[in-house]
Amino acid sequence: MTDARGPAGRNGETNARRPHGTPCWVSLMVHGPAATHDFYGALFGWEFQPGPQQLGPYARALLDGREVAGIGQLPPDRHLPIAWTPYFASDDVNRTAETVRLCGGTVGVGPLDAGRAGRLAIGSDPSGAVFGVWQAAAHLGTAVSGVPGTPAWNELTTFETASVAKFYETVFGFELVREDSAGLDYVTLRLDGRPVAGIHGLGDALPRDRGPHWTTYFEVADAEEALERLVELGGHVLEPVQDTPHGRVARVADPEGARLALLEGR
């Protein structure tokens, strides 16, 4: 993991249209959105605003009035994994969806319009990890970064990096930078020389009940305090706070089981 925070304006505001491939949004689909709003509102200080209506029962999470993430409701008859999904910016979501298919991935949702906000598709890479594609119109994506309560990094955990990294390179134009450490299968995805996401290959150590998946890291001011608060709110600790070269990290799950990481950056 590396520092993915890009150029930002005053108070971390990021109002520019993102280049193709840039992680620009994170979204979570749950069975009980009201309880999920209460959980993340208390953990990160988020407030919620409904819409776009085209996405059904969906709301955008706001931090000090600026959009940071989205939470929607799964249909009651859909028993899908509850997971945070990163969205990557696209200049043309139709073309990106076709490239996903040509490169061995699948497109499960869309491309479809989200009103005046933009167009989206949800797909999976050849290993099965789910991600989103966003073509911005009125909604450019996460509007603030680098402060507590905002997405700080997205990391794909998979069996091995070589083939799946090539998929993301072709679809989104990433530069692949392989970690030199012996025994570590890790690739950083870069755009214009800047790290934007990572891929970590675990081989047989990848949990079989999870399979390949993306994890979103959310910035917090104090990892220990955030972890204590999360437990009070009904969340679960998967891995306690650990010191890393990039800050203090804890891996956790919310009350519905969605996994995420808390990052106290350096």
Side-chain angles (χ1 to χ4, degrees), residues 37-86:
H37 292 178
D38 290 343
F39 173 82
Y40 285 102
L43 182 64
F44 293 141
W46 292 352
E47 297 177 334
F48 293 88
Q49 182 176 79
Q53 293 181 345
Q54 289 79 3
L55 301 181
Y58 190 86
R60 290 158 290 166
L62 308 179
L63 185 65
D64 296 328
R66 293 168 290 180
E67 298 174 337
V68 293
I71 295 177
Q73 183 172 8
L74 284 169
D77 59 343
R78 299 292 297 274
H79 300 286
L80 299 173
I82 309 296
W84 281 99
T85 300

Side-chain angles (χ1 to χ4, degrees), residues 55-260:
L55 301 181
Y58 190 86
R60 290 158 290 166
L62 308 179
L63 185 65
D64 296 328
R66 293 168 290 180
E67 298 174 337
V68 293
I71 295 177
Q73 183 172 8
L74 284 169
D77 59 343
R78 299 292 297 274
H79 300 286
L80 299 173
I82 309 296
W84 281 99
T85 300
Y87 282 70
F88 299 93
S90 171
D91 297 328
D92 184 330
V93 70
N94 288 28
R95 184 182 306 155
T96 301
E98 183 60 25
T99 305
V100 167
R101 296 187 186 99
L102 291 172
C103 293
T106 60
V107 178
V109 176
L112 57 84
D113 287 324
R116 292 178 295 177
R119 279 175 61 76
L120 68 89
I122 299 175
S124 57
D125 64 31
S127 74
V130 176
F131 63 93
V133 182
W134 181 252
Q135 181 180 342
H139 173 62
L140 299 177
T142 301
V144 59
S145 64
V147 297
T150 61
W153 183 251
N154 291 287
E155 188 169 271
L156 171 60
T157 305
T158 189
F159 292 106
E160 54 84 26
T161 63
S163 60
V164 75
K166 186 66 177 178
F167 168 85
Y168 287 99
E169 178 187 32
T170 304
V171 173
F172 293 112
F174 296 128
E175 174 193 359
L176 309 181
V177 179
R178 187 165 294 280
E179 179 66 49
D180 289 332
S181 300
L184 180 63
D185 184 14
Y186 196 96
V187 171
T188 300
L189 306 178
R190 293 176 177 260
L191 284 176
D192 297 325
R194 185 173 66 87
V196 296
I199 303 177
H200 190 185
L202 291 182
D204 292 337
L206 183 72
R208 296 289 171 170
D209 62 332
R210 287 283 293 157
H213 60 278
W214 282 93
T215 299
T216 298
Y217 290 66
F218 290 91
E219 190 148 342
V220 296
D222 186 300
E224 295 284 0
E225 288 183 6
L227 199 64
E228 182 177 340
R229 182 66 172 146
L230 175 133
V231 172
E232 291 174 352
L233 294 167
H236 310 283
V237 179
L238 304 177
E239 295 180 14
V241 177
Q242 299 178 359
D243 288 316
T244 77
H246 309 289
R248 310 192 73 214
V249 175
R251 298 182 184 276
V252 300
D254 70 18
E256 282 210 24
R259 300 188 179 202
L260 61 148

